[in-house]
Amino acid sequence: MAEPSIRFVRLRSAAAVAEETARRMAAAARRAIALSGRFRCVLAGGRTPLAAYRRLADQPEEWSHWHLFLGDERCLPPDDIERNSRAIELALAERVAIPRDNVHWIPAELGAQEAARRYEESIRMWLPFDLVLLGMGEDGHTASLFPGHAVPPDVYVAPVHGAPKPPHDRVTLTPMAIAASAQRLILVTGAEKREALAAWRRGADLPISRVAALGPTDVLLDPESAGGST
């Protein structure tokens, strides 16, 4: 059974998940800006998050107060479209008036070890985050926290070597960093996620289940991933 702080919300389609994600991000931003003058949001890559960002880009938000961070990154050149940062720039950051200094990408082109060290230093001053956006892989991974991979317990950012899907070198926020947020929003769409989602809801020990249990977390589902669950 899910922990009381985790709410599963089933929506009518993957497009509806993207639409609801954009709505929630905008609402969280307005609350945070009203309270502190800034919105610190950790972004995820992937099809549905990118669809949400494209919707956001068409809205008149207070972009100068947004600060963008990444949950993980692939060790590829900065202009590689497989980089989360590059995909997010095309969907959102280059389409709105977010100051360049407010965009805090992981310098993964430096290699996993050095990039993790530098990102650890750079994000400490920004914690806690206002919102962390996450996805889930077919194996129950989230960010670049993979099943069977040990994560250092005392750092906010960790290098990843030997990831089960290419590229094998990555950089990821750790559960300690993800826990340092007012709320988490997890997006799960597509039939290929159904088995991992069902295992999670049965109580399997997966990276996604450990992260979701860190504090208030909403999980947005489409019918394909949810199957017969409610």
Side-chain angles (χ1 to χ4, degrees):
M1 181 171 294
E3 293 83 352
S5 63
I6 302 174
R7 296 192 307 166
F8 291 90
V9 181
R10 180 169 174 161
L11 299 168
R12 67 183 182 278
S13 65
V17 171
E19 184 177 347
E20 178 66 5
T21 299
R23 187 193 69 78
R24 290 183 180 223
M25 290 177 69
R30 291 165 193 154
R31 287 194 301 269
I33 292 167
L35 287 171
S36 67
R38 62 187 183 181
F39 176 52
R40 297 156 294 181
C41 186
V42 175
L43 301 181
R47 181 177 63 251
T48 304
L50 289 171
Y53 308 151
R54 293 187 192 101
R55 285 167 167 78
L56 273 173
D58 295 328
Q59 299 178 190
E61 303 297 331
E62 295 184 85
W63 297 114
S64 63
H65 298 289
W66 285 52
H67 287 265
L68 305 182
F69 302 85
L70 283 175
D72 72 319
E73 186 56 280
R74 300 162 178 176
C75 291
L76 297 168
D79 58 352
D80 194 312
I81 192 58
E82 293 300 315
R83 285 267 297 238
N84 286 331
S85 57
R86 187 59 190 140
I88 293 168
E89 285 172 348
L90 293 173
L92 177 64
E94 292 182 355
R95 297 176 58 199
V96 299
I98 296 179
R100 188 64 199 176
D101 287 347
N102 291 15
V103 176
H104 311 277
W105 296 152
I106 300 171
E109 66 276 7
L110 301 178
Q113 296 290 142
E114 179 64 12
R117 185 188 69 79
R118 292 199 187 188
Y119 208 53
E120 170 94 16
E121 291 178 355
S122 69
I123 68 168
R124 282 180 177 270
M125 65 177 289
W126 295 101
L127 297 173
F129 300 118
D130 297 300
L131 176 65
V132 173
L133 193 69
L134 297 164
M136 185 191 75
E138 298 167 31
D139 57 356
H141 84 266
T142 190
S144 282
L145 302 168
F146 292 97
H149 283 234
V151 180
D154 56 351
V155 297
Y156 292 111
V157 186
V160 176
H161 302 291
K165 53 193 298 187
H168 301 299
D169 282 0
R170 300 171 178 232
V171 180
T172 187
L173 294 189
T174 67
M176 189 167 81
I178 295 169
S181 175
Q183 63 182 124
R184 281 142 292 279
L185 186 62
I186 298 175
L187 315 184
V188 184
T189 60
E192 69 277 9
K193 311 290 180 65
R194 186 179 299 174
E195 185 174 339
L197 177 64
W200 171 15
R201 301 194 72 172
R202 289 194 303 267
D205 182 21
L206 298 170
I208 190 68
S209 58
R210 294 194 293 271
V211 165
L214 293 171
T217 301
D218 281 3
V219 186
L220 305 186
L221 313 170
D222 71 346
E224 286 71 25
S225 64
S229 66
T230 58

